[in-house]
Amino acid sequence: KVGAFAVELVAADTKEPFKEHTAPDGQVYAEVEPGVDYFISTRTDVGRVRFEYSVDGVNLGYGHNFGRPSISRYAGSYLSIDGKQTMTALHFNKTREAQDVTPDRLTGKIKARVYTFGEEIKAEEKNFVTASLTADSTLLGGKKCIKS
């Protein structure tokens, strides 16, 4: 949570947030497994704001308007065909294994931008780490996560 805004990555089936880790530089990483479906969960303690989302630099193409403080809203892959609107979960793909690539290059980035009255007031990024099978991963309780 940053100020009045909260962004979490949650499992698509349970809406439970993924475990998070904070690196020494303050970056927050969500621990996930490849192949998992997820949503971006957003909340705000203030109204009259709009969240817009991107995943790995690609804008999802829509946003959520919050007229007043709100409980969680979920963002996924949004599709509108013949007036019928559908939202499906996003999907964590297994990271591509490559030689001479540092572990920070094997993570993805979720960005939620918050706007009010047409101006950006906060850009909150959420990084995620998959079980990338890199030499710099640490095995904890059957799951891999970044080293701090």
Side-chain angles (χ1 to χ4, degrees), residues 31 33 139-144:
E31 178 184 336
E33 298 290 337
L139 190 61
L140 293 176
K143 295 187 178 181
K144 292 190 178 205

Side-chain angles (χ1 to χ4, degrees), residues 58-132:
V58 178
N59 190 307
L60 291 184
Y62 72 95
H64 286 133
N65 294 324
F66 290 84
R68 59 178 190 237
S70 180
I71 59 172
S72 295
R73 291 201 185 164
Y74 301 100
S77 180
Y78 180 80
L79 187 60
S80 181
I81 299 176
D82 297 328
K84 183 178 179 187
Q85 300 161 348
T86 306
M87 184 176 305
T88 58
L90 299 164
H91 186 76
F92 285 113
N93 291 322
K94 184 175 181 179
T95 55
R96 197 170 48 109
E97 292 185 48
Q99 281 187 317
D100 301 322
V101 176
T102 60
D104 64 323
R105 299 285 184 170
L106 296 174
T107 61
K109 185 171 286 190
I110 306 293
K111 184 180 280 190
R113 293 182 182 268
V114 183
Y115 298 86
T116 184
F117 303 112
E119 295 182 22
E120 182 180 3
I121 58 173
K122 183 68 184 170
E124 174 67 11
E125 295 182 358
K126 187 75 64 160
N127 296 294
F128 59 88
V129 176
T130 64
S132 56

Side-chain angles (χ1 to χ4, degrees), residues 24-58:
D25 65 359
Q27 284 279 7
V28 177
Y29 292 85
E31 178 184 336
V32 298
E33 298 290 337
V36 172
D37 291 332
Y38 70 99
F39 288 105
I40 303 167
S41 172
T42 51
R43 291 184 311 280
T44 177
D45 296 335
V46 298
R48 302 186 51 85
V49 296
R50 175 178 176 81
F51 280 84
E52 292 185 356
Y53 315 96
S54 64
V55 177
D56 293 334
V58 178

